[in-house]
Every structure is written in C-alpha cells, then in structure tokens.
mmCIF file of all heavy atoms in Angstrom:
data_model
loop_
_atom_site.group_PDB
_atom_site.id
_atom_site.type_symbol
_atom_site.label_atom_id
_atom_site.label_comp_id
_atom_site.label_asym_id
_atom_site.label_seq_id
_atom_site.Cartn_x
_atom_site.Cartn_y
_atom_site.Cartn_z
ATOM 1 N N VAL A 10 283.494 84.267 -69.155
ATOM 2 C CA VAL A 10 282.882 82.942 -69.171
ATOM 3 C C VAL A 10 282.163 82.628 -70.474
ATOM 4 O O VAL A 10 281.652 81.510 -70.634
ATOM 5 C CB VAL A 10 281.905 82.752 -67.992
ATOM 6 C CG1 VAL A 10 282.608 83.032 -66.667
ATOM 7 C CG2 VAL A 10 280.677 83.649 -68.149
ATOM 8 N N LYS A 11 282.111 83.563 -71.401
ATOM 9 C CA LYS A 11 281.440 83.327 -72.675
ATOM 10 C C LYS A 11 282.043 82.125 -73.394
ATOM 11 O O LYS A 11 283.256 81.981 -73.475
ATOM 12 C CB LYS A 11 281.538 84.565 -73.567
ATOM 13 C CG LYS A 11 280.616 85.692 -73.182
ATOM 14 C CD LYS A 11 280.774 86.881 -74.124
ATOM 15 C CE LYS A 11 279.868 88.026 -73.724
ATOM 16 N NZ LYS A 11 280.079 89.228 -74.573
ATOM 17 N N GLY A 12 281.176 81.277 -73.905
ATOM 18 C CA GLY A 12 281.613 80.085 -74.603
ATOM 19 C C GLY A 12 281.908 78.906 -73.706
ATOM 20 O O GLY A 12 282.075 77.787 -74.200
ATOM 21 N N ARG A 13 281.984 79.136 -72.396
ATOM 22 C CA ARG A 13 282.268 78.067 -71.447
ATOM 23 C C ARG A 13 281.101 77.783 -70.504
ATOM 24 O O ARG A 13 280.859 76.632 -70.150
ATOM 25 C CB ARG A 13 283.510 78.394 -70.620
ATOM 26 C CG ARG A 13 284.771 78.583 -71.444
ATOM 27 C CD ARG A 13 286.003 78.699 -70.552
ATOM 28 N NE ARG A 13 285.927 79.839 -69.644
ATOM 29 C CZ ARG A 13 285.979 79.746 -68.317
ATOM 30 N NH1 ARG A 13 286.108 78.561 -67.731
ATOM 31 N NH2 ARG A 13 285.916 80.848 -67.570
ATOM 32 N N PHE A 14 280.387 78.829 -70.093
ATOM 33 C CA PHE A 14 279.277 78.695 -69.156
ATOM 34 C C PHE A 14 277.954 78.895 -69.891
ATOM 35 O O PHE A 14 277.867 79.679 -70.842
ATOM 36 C CB PHE A 14 279.368 79.726 -68.036
ATOM 37 C CG PHE A 14 280.502 79.516 -67.062
ATOM 38 C CD1 PHE A 14 281.503 78.594 -67.303
ATOM 39 C CD2 PHE A 14 280.547 80.260 -65.895
ATOM 40 C CE1 PHE A 14 282.538 78.409 -66.407
ATOM 41 C CE2 PHE A 14 281.579 80.085 -64.987
ATOM 42 C CZ PHE A 14 282.580 79.166 -65.242
ATOM 43 N N THR A 15 276.915 78.213 -69.425
ATOM 44 C CA THR A 15 275.578 78.364 -69.970
ATOM 45 C C THR A 15 274.579 78.489 -68.830
ATOM 46 O O THR A 15 274.510 77.613 -67.958
ATOM 47 C CB THR A 15 275.187 77.182 -70.862
ATOM 48 O OG1 THR A 15 276.130 77.041 -71.925
ATOM 49 C CG2 THR A 15 273.797 77.410 -71.455
ATOM 50 N N ILE A 16 273.803 79.559 -68.824
ATOM 51 C CA ILE A 16 272.752 79.739 -67.838
ATOM 52 C C ILE A 16 271.422 79.307 -68.456
ATOM 53 O O ILE A 16 271.159 79.561 -69.631
ATOM 54 C CB ILE A 16 272.689 81.198 -67.331
ATOM 55 C CG1 ILE A 16 271.704 81.333 -66.163
ATOM 56 C CG2 ILE A 16 272.340 82.164 -68.451
ATOM 57 C CD1 ILE A 16 271.762 82.689 -65.471
ATOM 58 N N SER A 17 270.590 78.648 -67.676
ATOM 59 C CA SER A 17 269.287 78.203 -68.138
ATOM 60 C C SER A 17 268.314 78.217 -66.968
ATOM 61 O O SER A 17 268.714 78.403 -65.821
ATOM 62 C CB SER A 17 269.367 76.810 -68.765
ATOM 63 O OG SER A 17 269.815 75.852 -67.826
ATOM 64 N N ARG A 18 267.033 78.023 -67.279
ATOM 65 C CA ARG A 18 266.041 78.016 -66.209
ATOM 66 C C ARG A 18 264.926 77.032 -66.503
ATOM 67 O O ARG A 18 264.637 76.714 -67.661
ATOM 68 C CB ARG A 18 265.488 79.427 -65.969
ATOM 69 C CG ARG A 18 264.257 79.833 -66.788
ATOM 70 C CD ARG A 18 264.581 80.081 -68.234
ATOM 71 N NE ARG A 18 263.508 80.807 -68.906
ATOM 72 C CZ ARG A 18 263.080 80.550 -70.133
ATOM 73 N NH1 ARG A 18 263.667 79.584 -70.856
ATOM 74 N NH2 ARG A 18 262.101 81.263 -70.670
ATOM 75 N N ASP A 19 264.306 76.543 -65.439
ATOM 76 C CA ASP A 19 263.131 75.699 -65.498
ATOM 77 C C ASP A 19 262.045 76.429 -64.723
ATOM 78 O O ASP A 19 262.021 76.394 -63.492
ATOM 79 C CB ASP A 19 263.414 74.322 -64.900
ATOM 80 C CG ASP A 19 262.254 73.359 -65.065
ATOM 81 O OD1 ASP A 19 261.100 73.803 -65.166
ATOM 82 O OD2 ASP A 19 262.506 72.139 -65.085
ATOM 83 N N ASN A 20 261.160 77.101 -65.432
ATOM 84 C CA ASN A 20 260.162 77.943 -64.783
ATOM 85 C C ASN A 20 259.222 77.129 -63.887
ATOM 86 O O ASN A 20 258.817 77.597 -62.821
ATOM 87 C CB ASN A 20 259.346 78.709 -65.822
ATOM 88 C CG ASN A 20 260.186 79.680 -66.616
ATOM 89 O OD1 ASN A 20 261.014 79.274 -67.437
ATOM 90 N ND2 ASN A 20 259.980 80.973 -66.379
ATOM 91 N N ALA A 21 258.867 75.925 -64.316
ATOM 92 C CA ALA A 21 257.959 75.097 -63.533
ATOM 93 C C ALA A 21 258.556 74.727 -62.180
ATOM 94 O O ALA A 21 257.828 74.538 -61.208
ATOM 95 C CB ALA A 21 257.584 73.841 -64.310
ATOM 96 N N LYS A 22 259.873 74.606 -62.114
ATOM 97 C CA LYS A 22 260.551 74.247 -60.873
ATOM 98 C C LYS A 22 261.131 75.443 -60.136
ATOM 99 O O LYS A 22 261.732 75.270 -59.074
ATOM 100 C CB LYS A 22 261.672 73.243 -61.155
ATOM 101 C CG LYS A 22 261.201 71.912 -61.700
ATOM 102 C CD LYS A 22 262.376 70.979 -61.943
ATOM 103 C CE LYS A 22 261.922 69.633 -62.463
ATOM 104 N NZ LYS A 22 263.070 68.725 -62.722
ATOM 105 N N ASN A 23 260.948 76.637 -60.685
ATOM 106 C CA ASN A 23 261.546 77.843 -60.104
ATOM 107 C C ASN A 23 263.035 77.641 -59.840
ATOM 108 O O ASN A 23 263.548 77.997 -58.775
ATOM 109 C CB ASN A 23 260.826 78.247 -58.819
ATOM 110 C CG ASN A 23 259.431 78.790 -59.066
ATOM 111 O OD1 ASN A 23 259.176 79.440 -60.076
ATOM 112 N ND2 ASN A 23 258.527 78.536 -58.133
ATOM 113 N N THR A 24 263.706 77.081 -60.820
ATOM 114 C CA THR A 24 265.110 76.727 -60.668
ATOM 115 C C THR A 24 265.926 77.277 -61.829
ATOM 116 O O THR A 24 265.493 77.208 -62.985
ATOM 117 C CB THR A 24 265.291 75.207 -60.576
ATOM 118 O OG1 THR A 24 264.559 74.706 -59.453
ATOM 119 C CG2 THR A 24 266.757 74.840 -60.414
ATOM 120 N N VAL A 25 267.089 77.808 -61.505
ATOM 121 C CA VAL A 25 268.040 78.314 -62.484
ATOM 122 C C VAL A 25 269.307 77.482 -62.396
ATOM 123 O O VAL A 25 269.725 77.079 -61.301
ATOM 124 C CB VAL A 25 268.341 79.805 -62.247
ATOM 125 C CG1 VAL A 25 269.395 80.302 -63.221
ATOM 126 C CG2 VAL A 25 267.068 80.629 -62.389
ATOM 127 N N TYR A 26 269.924 77.236 -63.540
ATOM 128 C CA TYR A 26 271.116 76.404 -63.607
ATOM 129 C C TYR A 26 272.276 77.188 -64.213
ATOM 130 O O TYR A 26 272.085 78.121 -64.988
ATOM 131 C CB TYR A 26 270.866 75.159 -64.459
ATOM 132 C CG TYR A 26 269.689 74.336 -64.006
ATOM 133 C CD1 TYR A 26 268.434 74.520 -64.566
ATOM 134 C CD2 TYR A 26 269.829 73.375 -63.007
ATOM 135 C CE1 TYR A 26 267.349 73.771 -64.150
ATOM 136 C CE2 TYR A 26 268.752 72.628 -62.586
ATOM 137 C CZ TYR A 26 267.517 72.821 -63.161
ATOM 138 O OH TYR A 26 266.441 72.074 -62.741
ATOM 139 N N LEU A 27 273.467 76.778 -63.849
ATOM 140 C CA LEU A 27 274.675 77.293 -64.468
ATOM 141 C C LEU A 27 275.558 76.109 -64.825
ATOM 142 O O LEU A 27 276.159 75.490 -63.946
ATOM 143 C CB LEU A 27 275.417 78.261 -63.543
ATOM 144 C CG LEU A 27 276.632 78.948 -64.157
ATOM 145 C CD1 LEU A 27 276.198 79.915 -65.253
ATOM 146 C CD2 LEU A 27 277.452 79.674 -63.094
ATOM 147 N N GLN A 28 275.597 75.788 -66.110
ATOM 148 C CA GLN A 28 276.468 74.733 -66.603
ATOM 149 C C GLN A 28 277.840 75.329 -66.873
ATOM 150 O O GLN A 28 277.966 76.251 -67.675
ATOM 151 C CB GLN A 28 275.898 74.113 -67.879
ATOM 152 C CG GLN A 28 276.766 73.021 -68.488
ATOM 153 C CD GLN A 28 276.853 71.794 -67.623
ATOM 154 O OE1 GLN A 28 275.839 71.306 -67.135
ATOM 155 N NE2 GLN A 28 278.065 71.280 -67.416
ATOM 156 N N MET A 29 278.856 74.803 -66.213
ATOM 157 C CA MET A 29 280.209 75.328 -66.315
ATOM 158 C C MET A 29 281.102 74.265 -66.933
ATOM 159 O O MET A 29 281.310 73.202 -66.349
ATOM 160 C CB MET A 29 280.739 75.746 -64.942
ATOM 161 C CG MET A 29 279.841 76.736 -64.217
ATOM 162 S SD MET A 29 280.545 77.303 -62.642
ATOM 163 C CE MET A 29 280.524 75.758 -61.722
ATOM 164 N N ASN A 30 281.623 74.552 -68.113
ATOM 165 C CA ASN A 30 282.524 73.655 -68.824
ATOM 166 C C ASN A 30 283.899 74.293 -68.969
ATOM 167 O O ASN A 30 284.059 75.502 -68.822
ATOM 168 C CB ASN A 30 281.965 73.313 -70.205
ATOM 169 C CG ASN A 30 280.630 72.617 -70.151
ATOM 170 O OD1 ASN A 30 280.367 71.817 -69.256
ATOM 171 N ND2 ASN A 30 279.772 72.890 -71.128
ATOM 172 N N SER A 31 284.882 73.466 -69.293
ATOM 173 C CA SER A 31 286.253 73.938 -69.492
ATOM 174 C C SER A 31 286.714 74.815 -68.334
ATOM 175 O O SER A 31 287.272 75.894 -68.527
ATOM 176 C CB SER A 31 286.361 74.696 -70.820
ATOM 177 O OG SER A 31 285.983 73.877 -71.908
ATOM 178 N N LEU A 32 286.492 74.341 -67.138
ATOM 179 C CA LEU A 32 286.791 75.130 -65.946
ATOM 180 C C LEU A 32 288.285 75.381 -65.801
ATOM 181 O O LEU A 32 289.106 74.527 -66.142
ATOM 182 C CB LEU A 32 286.247 74.438 -64.704
ATOM 183 C CG LEU A 32 284.738 74.576 -64.511
ATOM 184 C CD1 LEU A 32 284.219 73.539 -63.529
ATOM 185 C CD2 LEU A 32 284.393 75.986 -64.035
ATOM 186 N N LYS A 33 288.604 76.559 -65.290
ATOM 187 C CA LYS A 33 289.975 76.994 -65.066
ATOM 188 C C LYS A 33 290.171 77.305 -63.590
ATOM 189 O O LYS A 33 289.205 77.607 -62.889
ATOM 190 C CB LYS A 33 290.277 78.248 -65.895
ATOM 191 C CG LYS A 33 289.973 78.124 -67.371
ATOM 192 C CD LYS A 33 290.143 79.465 -68.072
ATOM 193 C CE LYS A 33 289.818 79.369 -69.543
ATOM 194 N NZ LYS A 33 289.952 80.689 -70.217
ATOM 195 N N PRO A 34 291.412 77.263 -63.108
ATOM 196 C CA PRO A 34 291.650 77.620 -61.701
ATOM 197 C C PRO A 34 291.116 78.993 -61.334
ATOM 198 O O PRO A 34 290.670 79.186 -60.193
ATOM 199 C CB PRO A 34 293.181 77.559 -61.585
ATOM 200 C CG PRO A 34 293.584 76.546 -62.591
ATOM 201 C CD PRO A 34 292.634 76.745 -63.756
ATOM 202 N N GLU A 35 291.135 79.939 -62.247
ATOM 203 C CA GLU A 35 290.629 81.270 -61.959
ATOM 204 C C GLU A 35 289.110 81.319 -61.800
ATOM 205 O O GLU A 35 288.563 82.352 -61.415
ATOM 206 C CB GLU A 35 291.072 82.283 -63.026
ATOM 207 C CG GLU A 35 290.789 81.834 -64.450
ATOM 208 C CD GLU A 35 292.013 81.230 -65.122
ATOM 209 O OE1 GLU A 35 292.694 80.398 -64.484
ATOM 210 O OE2 GLU A 35 292.296 81.598 -66.278
ATOM 211 N N ASP A 36 288.416 80.220 -62.095
ATOM 212 C CA ASP A 36 286.987 80.127 -61.830
ATOM 213 C C ASP A 36 286.691 79.783 -60.377
ATOM 214 O O ASP A 36 285.529 79.804 -59.968
ATOM 215 C CB ASP A 36 286.333 79.079 -62.733
ATOM 216 C CG ASP A 36 286.408 79.446 -64.207
ATOM 217 O OD1 ASP A 36 286.184 80.627 -64.539
ATOM 218 O OD2 ASP A 36 286.682 78.549 -65.024
ATOM 219 N N THR A 37 287.719 79.452 -59.610
ATOM 220 C CA THR A 37 287.534 79.103 -58.207
ATOM 221 C C THR A 37 286.938 80.275 -57.441
ATOM 222 O O THR A 37 287.487 81.374 -57.439
ATOM 223 C CB THR A 37 288.866 78.683 -57.577
ATOM 224 O OG1 THR A 37 289.330 77.487 -58.203
ATOM 225 C CG2 THR A 37 288.703 78.429 -56.088
ATOM 226 N N ALA A 38 285.807 80.043 -56.787
ATOM 227 C CA ALA A 38 285.103 81.093 -56.061
ATOM 228 C C ALA A 38 283.879 80.498 -55.386
ATOM 229 O O ALA A 38 283.503 79.355 -55.646
ATOM 230 C CB ALA A 38 284.677 82.224 -57.003
ATOM 231 N N VAL A 39 283.258 81.290 -54.524
ATOM 232 C CA VAL A 39 281.921 80.987 -54.044
ATOM 233 C C VAL A 39 280.939 81.566 -55.047
ATOM 234 O O VAL A 39 281.015 82.750 -55.386
ATOM 235 C CB VAL A 39 281.658 81.561 -52.644
ATOM 236 C CG1 VAL A 39 280.222 81.294 -52.215
ATOM 237 C CG2 VAL A 39 282.633 80.966 -51.636
ATOM 238 N N TYR A 40 280.030 80.743 -55.526
ATOM 239 C CA TYR A 40 279.057 81.157 -56.527
ATOM 240 C C TYR A 40 277.710 81.404 -55.864
ATOM 241 O O TYR A 40 277.215 80.578 -55.096
ATOM 242 C CB TYR A 40 278.926 80.102 -57.622
ATOM 243 C CG TYR A 40 280.074 80.136 -58.604
ATOM 244 C CD1 TYR A 40 281.341 79.715 -58.228
ATOM 245 C CD2 TYR A 40 279.895 80.610 -59.901
ATOM 246 C CE1 TYR A 40 282.411 79.769 -59.119
ATOM 247 C CE2 TYR A 40 280.947 80.658 -60.796
ATOM 248 C CZ TYR A 40 282.203 80.237 -60.399
ATOM 249 O OH TYR A 40 283.252 80.286 -61.295
ATOM 250 N N TYR A 41 277.113 82.550 -56.174
ATOM 251 C CA TYR A 41 275.838 82.960 -55.618
ATOM 252 C C TYR A 41 274.812 83.170 -56.727
ATOM 253 O O TYR A 41 275.149 83.685 -57.790
ATOM 254 C CB TYR A 41 275.965 84.288 -54.865
ATOM 255 C CG TYR A 41 276.931 84.284 -53.709
ATOM 256 C CD1 TYR A 41 278.270 84.592 -53.897
ATOM 257 C CD2 TYR A 41 276.495 83.998 -52.424
ATOM 258 C CE1 TYR A 41 279.160 84.609 -52.836
ATOM 259 C CE2 TYR A 41 277.376 84.012 -51.354
ATOM 260 C CZ TYR A 41 278.709 84.320 -51.571
ATOM 261 O OH TYR A 41 279.579 84.339 -50.508
ATOM 262 N N CYS A 42 273.575 82.805 -56.469
ATOM 263 C CA CYS A 42 272.493 83.215 -57.342
ATOM 264 C C CYS A 42 271.731 84.352 -56.680
ATOM 265 O O CYS A 42 271.735 84.499 -55.458
ATOM 266 C CB CYS A 42 271.551 82.055 -57.688
ATOM 267 S SG CYS A 42 270.612 81.375 -56.309
ATOM 268 N N ALA A 43 271.093 85.179 -57.493
ATOM 269 C CA ALA A 43 270.400 86.355 -56.996
ATOM 270 C C ALA A 43 269.259 86.714 -57.930
ATOM 271 O O ALA A 43 269.248 86.331 -59.101
ATOM 272 C CB ALA A 43 271.370 87.534 -56.867
ATOM 273 N N SER A 44 268.302 87.478 -57.397
ATOM 274 C CA SER A 44 267.101 87.843 -58.124
ATOM 275 C C SER A 44 266.970 89.353 -58.216
ATOM 276 O O SER A 44 267.262 90.074 -57.258
ATOM 277 C CB SER A 44 265.866 87.256 -57.440
ATOM 278 O OG SER A 44 264.674 87.721 -58.042
ATOM 279 N N THR A 45 266.510 89.833 -59.370
ATOM 280 C CA THR A 45 266.225 91.249 -59.566
ATOM 281 C C THR A 45 264.942 91.398 -60.373
ATOM 282 O O THR A 45 264.627 90.538 -61.205
ATOM 283 C CB THR A 45 267.381 91.967 -60.281
ATOM 284 O OG1 THR A 45 267.049 93.352 -60.457
ATOM 285 C CG2 THR A 45 267.655 91.354 -61.651
ATOM 286 N N ASP A 46 264.215 92.475 -60.124
ATOM 287 C CA ASP A 46 262.993 92.732 -60.881
ATOM 288 C C ASP A 46 263.180 93.810 -61.943
ATOM 289 O O ASP A 46 262.202 94.304 -62.501
ATOM 290 C CB ASP A 46 261.833 93.102 -59.952
ATOM 291 C CG ASP A 46 262.085 94.371 -59.148
ATOM 292 O OD1 ASP A 46 263.144 94.995 -59.319
ATOM 293 O OD2 ASP A 46 261.204 94.729 -58.336
ATOM 294 N N THR A 47 264.404 94.170 -62.236
ATOM 295 C CA THR A 47 264.668 95.156 -63.275
ATOM 296 C C THR A 47 264.399 94.557 -64.646
ATOM 297 O O THR A 47 264.693 93.394 -64.908
ATOM 298 C CB THR A 47 266.117 95.666 -63.228
ATOM 299 O OG1 THR A 47 267.017 94.576 -63.428
ATOM 300 C CG2 THR A 47 266.405 96.324 -61.893
ATOM 301 N N ILE A 48 263.828 95.372 -65.518
ATOM 302 C CA ILE A 48 263.527 94.911 -66.869
ATOM 303 C C ILE A 48 264.794 94.823 -67.704
ATOM 304 O O ILE A 48 264.988 93.872 -68.469
ATOM 305 C CB ILE A 48 262.491 95.834 -67.540
ATOM 306 C CG1 ILE A 48 261.172 95.791 -66.771
ATOM 307 C CG2 ILE A 48 262.287 95.440 -68.997
ATOM 308 C CD1 ILE A 48 260.120 96.760 -67.293
ATOM 309 N N ARG A 49 265.673 95.804 -67.551
ATOM 310 C CA ARG A 49 266.928 95.810 -68.280
ATOM 311 C C ARG A 49 267.951 94.905 -67.601
ATOM 312 O O ARG A 49 267.859 94.612 -66.407
ATOM 313 C CB ARG A 49 267.481 97.236 -68.372
ATOM 314 C CG ARG A 49 266.536 98.234 -69.028
ATOM 315 C CD ARG A 49 266.189 97.814 -70.445
ATOM 316 N NE ARG A 49 267.371 97.596 -71.268
ATOM 317 C CZ ARG A 49 267.356 97.072 -72.489
ATOM 318 N NH1 ARG A 49 266.203 96.695 -73.027
ATOM 319 N NH2 ARG A 49 268.482 96.917 -73.154
#
C-alpha cells in the first residue's frame, strides 16, 4: 500500500484515518483498526 494509502490521526478526537487512493480489486477486504501499547 506504500504510495497509495496514508494513515493519520487526530489526537483531540481520538480518531485515526486511512486515506486510500488508487484502489485496486486486491484491496477488497474487511478493514479493521486496532490498538497496541508497544513502543516498537
């Protein structure tokens, strides 16, 4: 997805976004967001 997708966040709204451009049929899927507390 490099060069096509962009992840961003709005800390004040506790919201994360995924901008998906130049979509392809192989991008078809259920998309999930998830949280981790790992530093790396």
Side-chain angles (χ1 to χ4, degrees):
V10 305
K11 284 180 181 176
R13 300 188 299 121
F14 291 10
T15 302
I16 187 171
S17 61
R18 89 288 196 221
D19 186 334
N20 296 70
K22 296 180 179 179
N23 289 326
T24 301
V25 177
Y26 305 94
L27 185 68
Q28 178 67 47
M29 305 184 294
N30 299 324
S31 301
L32 283 163
K33 307 173 181 179
E35 51 262 46
D36 296 318
T37 295
V39 177
Y40 283 71
Y41 300 89
C42 66
S44 173
T45 180
D46 61 2
T47 61
I48 297 175
R49 303 301 305 172

